[in-house]
């Protein structure tokens, strides 16, 4: 069980590997890793704050890519 507010680094590492290859949406990362979208959103927020990833808009949809 995940403790609220606690995100293991390995999830962030897995996300970083995915978005390094190509920009991904929350739902794409969620499906690829088999992790709930709410957890992915929290990870993205943390990673955005640390400058690990950046948000881009493509045809009105949000995608995330490596900085």
């Amino acid at each position: 069980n995940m403790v609220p507010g606690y995100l293991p680094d390995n999830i962030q590492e897995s996300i970083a590997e995915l978005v390094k290859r190509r920009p991904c949406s929350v739902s794409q990362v969620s499906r690829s890793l088999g992790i709930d979208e709410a957890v992915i959103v929290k990870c993205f927020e943390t990673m955005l704050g640390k400058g690990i990833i950046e948000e881009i808009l493509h045809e009105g949809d949000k995608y995330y890519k490596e900085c």
Side-chain angles (χ1 to χ4, degrees), residues 16 40-41 45 49:
I40 300 301
V41 168
E45 288 171 357

mmCIF file of all heavy atoms in Angstrom, residues 16 40-41 45 49:
data_model
loop_
_atom_site.group_PDB
_atom_site.id
_atom_site.type_symbol
_atom_site.label_atom_id
_atom_site.label_comp_id
_atom_site.label_asym_id
_atom_site.label_seq_id
_atom_site.Cartn_x
_atom_site.Cartn_y
_atom_site.Cartn_z
ATOM 1 N N ALA A 16 10.742 8.909 -15.863
ATOM 2 C CA ALA A 16 11.821 9.613 -16.564
ATOM 3 C C ALA A 16 12.285 8.826 -17.782
ATOM 4 O O ALA A 16 12.538 9.409 -18.849
ATOM 5 C CB ALA A 16 12.989 9.882 -15.612
ATOM 6 N N ILE A 40 0.446 9.079 -10.807
ATOM 7 C CA ILE A 40 1.275 9.649 -11.876
ATOM 8 C C ILE A 40 1.232 11.177 -11.817
ATOM 9 O O ILE A 40 2.268 11.837 -11.936
ATOM 10 C CB ILE A 40 0.815 9.152 -13.270
ATOM 11 C CG1 ILE A 40 0.904 7.621 -13.365
ATOM 12 C CG2 ILE A 40 1.610 9.826 -14.382
ATOM 13 C CD1 ILE A 40 2.274 7.033 -13.141
ATOM 14 N N VAL A 41 0.048 11.738 -11.609
ATOM 15 C CA VAL A 41 -0.090 13.203 -11.510
ATOM 16 C C VAL A 41 0.778 13.732 -10.370
ATOM 17 O O VAL A 41 1.493 14.730 -10.536
ATOM 18 C CB VAL A 41 -1.573 13.616 -11.328
ATOM 19 C CG1 VAL A 41 -1.691 15.075 -10.926
ATOM 20 C CG2 VAL A 41 -2.354 13.344 -12.604
ATOM 21 N N GLU A 45 3.916 16.284 -10.729
ATOM 22 C CA GLU A 45 4.008 17.557 -9.990
ATOM 23 C C GLU A 45 5.367 17.676 -9.299
ATOM 24 O O GLU A 45 6.017 18.719 -9.361
ATOM 25 C CB GLU A 45 2.877 17.665 -8.968
ATOM 26 C CG GLU A 45 1.525 17.903 -9.599
ATOM 27 C CD GLU A 45 0.365 17.783 -8.610
ATOM 28 O OE1 GLU A 45 0.587 17.447 -7.422
ATOM 29 O OE2 GLU A 45 -0.786 18.025 -9.044
ATOM 30 N N GLY A 49 8.424 20.254 -10.364
ATOM 31 C CA GLY A 49 9.000 21.143 -9.348
ATOM 32 C C GLY A 49 10.512 21.024 -9.253
ATOM 33 O O GLY A 49 11.198 22.008 -8.962
#
